[in-house]
Amino acid sequence: MADQTAPSPAGSGAAVLAASAPAAGPAVPAGPVPPVRDGGRRRRGARRHRWPVVVPFFAFLAVCFGLPAGTMVYGAFTLVDPASGEGRFSTENVGGSLSGAYATGLTGSVELSLVTALLATVIGTLIAQAVVSSPRPALRGVVVSASGVLANFSGAPLAFAFIATLGTTGTVTQLLHLDRTGFSLYSFTGLVLAYLYFMVPLMVVTVLPALDGLRSQWQEAAASCGATRGQYWRHVGIPVLTPSLLGGAVLMFGTAFASHATAAVMVGSSQPLITIQIANALNGNVLVGQENLALAMSLNMVVIALLVMAVQIPLQRRSTRWLG
C-alpha cells in the first residue's frame, strides 16, 4: 500500500506557529527609557550654588598669598637704578642670591635641615613606637600632651631657654663643665640641639597615626608563619611605614628650613643661614638698597618649599591609602 503521507512544505512549521500565536497590536519601536529624574541638572545646579560659598576663600588666597607671591617674583627680577630709581627686568638679583656668601647661606640652611630632619625622624619614630607598644594608656596621654606643647615651643623663648641652660655661663654648662670639652651652643651642633627640641615632639605627633594603622593581625600572621619580630619589621612593618616616615622627614626638613627666630636670637650671623641673610638684607644691615636681593633669596626658599611639598603630598596620599 503506497504511503499516503506527503512531506510538509518548507516553512510550514513557522506558518503553524504564526497562525497559533495570538494577534498582537501595532509594533512599538524600541527606544531609551526616559530618566525619572534629571540628575545632571540637579548636579549642575548644586555646583552653581557652591561657588558663592568658596569665593571668600579664593579671595583670601589671592590677597594673602597671591599678592605677596607676585610682589616677590616681580621684585626678584627687577633691578633698581640707584641714581634714577627706575627699575628694569634683570636676573642679576637671582644670580647674586645663588653665588658667594648667599649660596653659602642657602647651603648651610639645607645642611642644617637635612641633619635635623634625619635625627628627628629616627628619634621621634622610636619614641612613638615605644608609646604605641606600651600597655599603659596613661603613658600615651602624657607623651602626646607633652609633644603637642613642646612642638610649639620654639622661636625666641626657646633660644633664651637654651642660652640660660647650655650657654657659655649656662647652668648645665657650669654644672657639667661642658666648656672644657669644647662644646659651644653658638655653633652648628648647638643649632641642631635647639632644633631637635621642638622637631622630635613634632615627629612623634606626626608618626603616631601611622604606627596605629599597623594591623596587629599582620604581626600575628607573620608569627604563625614562623617569622621573627625582626623579619616582620623588615618585610612588613617598615615597607608599609616607609611613605609615612618619608613624609614625616620631608615635613621636618621644611620646618627646619623655614625656622628663623631661634637661630637669629641664639647665633645671629655667626652661622650662615639663608633666613638670617634675608632679614639682614631687608633691614639694610649689610648693604643699603638690597631689598630686591632679599626677595630673590626668598624666591629660592619658595622654590625649595614647593619641591618639598611636591614630594610630601604623594607620600601622604600613599600612606593614607595603605594604612586607611
Side-chain angles (χ1 to χ4, degrees):
M1 183 174 178
D3 190 0
Q4 300 292 332
T5 306
S8 58
S12 60
V16 173
L17 291 176
S20 61
V28 179
V33 180
V36 179
R37 296 179 179 177
D38 191 359
R41 184 178 299 176
R42 288 192 173 187
R43 285 192 295 269
R44 289 192 297 270
R47 284 196 294 265
R48 285 196 298 267
H49 288 303
R50 292 193 191 106
W51 273 105
V53 180
V54 297
V55 166
F57 174 72
F58 285 111
F60 173 80
L61 289 180
V63 174
C64 296
F65 292 95
L67 186 60
T71 304
M72 179 185 61
V73 174
Y74 175 78
F77 290 96
T78 301
L79 185 63
V80 179
D81 187 0
S84 61
E86 296 180 356
R88 59 182 176 84
F89 176 82
S90 176
T91 59
E92 183 175 342
N93 293 324
V94 178
S97 66
L98 296 175
S99 61
Y102 302 114
T104 305
L106 182 61
T107 304
S109 292
V110 172
E111 182 181 356
L112 176 64
S113 302
L114 287 175
V115 172
T116 53
L118 178 61
L119 293 177
T121 300
V122 175
I123 299 173
T125 302
L126 293 178
I127 296 175
Q129 175 58 28
V131 171
V132 170
S133 59
S134 175
R136 301 178 180 178
L139 178 62
R140 180 189 179 99
V142 171
V143 173
V144 171
S145 300
S147 298
V149 174
L150 296 178
N152 292 282
F153 184 68
S154 60
L158 176 63
F160 285 122
F162 265 81
I163 291 173
T165 305
L166 293 172
T168 305
T169 58
T171 304
V172 177
T173 302
Q174 297 297 321
L175 183 64
L176 301 180
H177 303 287
L178 295 179
D179 51 343
R180 300 178 183 177
T181 64
F183 171 79
S184 176
L185 180 65
Y186 316 109
S187 62
F188 184 86
T189 305
L191 275 179
V192 170
L193 292 177
Y195 277 40
L196 289 179
Y197 186 87
F198 63 88
M199 289 176 60
V200 169
L202 180 60
M203 185 62 192
V204 171
V205 176
T206 302
V207 80
L208 266 178
L211 292 174
D212 288 334
L214 290 177
R215 306 290 189 270
S216 58
Q217 294 84 352
W218 298 346
Q219 188 169 1
E220 295 171 358
S224 64
C225 294
T228 62
R229 188 177 181 85
Q231 290 174 333
Y232 162 75
W233 281 107
R234 186 167 63 251
H235 297 288
V236 180
I238 294 180
V240 172
L241 288 175
T242 296
S244 299
L245 295 179
L246 291 178
V250 171
L251 178 62
M252 296 301 104
F253 176 87
T255 302
F257 189 70
S259 297
H260 166 67
T262 301
V265 174
M266 197 166 69
V267 300
S269 299
S270 61
Q271 290 296 318
L273 296 176
I274 188 67
T275 52
I276 298 178
Q277 289 176 342
I278 291 174
N280 291 335
L282 287 175
N283 296 329
N285 293 339
V286 181
L287 293 174
V288 180
Q290 296 297 311
E291 292 82 4
N292 287 354
L293 180 60
L295 295 178
M297 290 188 286
S298 303
L299 181 61
N300 297 335
M301 291 192 64
V302 169
V303 171
I304 295 178
L306 291 177
L307 294 177
V308 169
M309 292 177 59
V311 174
Q312 183 186 10
I313 292 175
L315 291 174
Q316 186 177 5
R317 290 179 178 176
R318 179 170 296 184
S319 174
T320 303
R321 182 170 66 249
W322 285 8
L323 297 174

